[in-house]
Amino acid sequence: MAEVIEPGDPAYARLRSGYLRGGSPGIILRAATNEQVIQSLAFARRHPGVALSRRSAGHGVSGRSTNDGGIVIDVSLMNAIEVLDRKARRVRAGPRWRPHWSPTAGR
């Protein structure tokens, strides 16, 4: 199961908002694996009247990476970039630019 962050948890203040928009979701599910994403989506499906947002690296300018009172599925922990060969890379859902610049540059 994904890590569950709720209002009042120590990490909540850091994870509740996106890059440009504040939010107050009712629950944040931090998925680190594909299976945890699947389980988080199944949880969200059981609550069809609750807003659902997804967050990867957290800096989307649309403001859709958070909500008020709903569920946020945060995949920022899935942040690997794998160098397959000289020209090909496999990028997971949550990487940010700076930590992964070197595996992608000039190869």
Side-chain angles (χ1 to χ4, degrees), residues 24-29 40-54 64 66-73:
S24 297
I27 190 171
I28 302 167
L29 303 173
S40 297
L41 288 169
F43 174 82
R45 279 190 209 104
R46 291 192 301 270
H47 301 88
V50 177
L52 174 63
S53 300
R54 80 308 177 242
R64 289 181 271 188
T66 192
N67 61 57
D68 293 319
I71 301 165
V72 172
I73 299 175

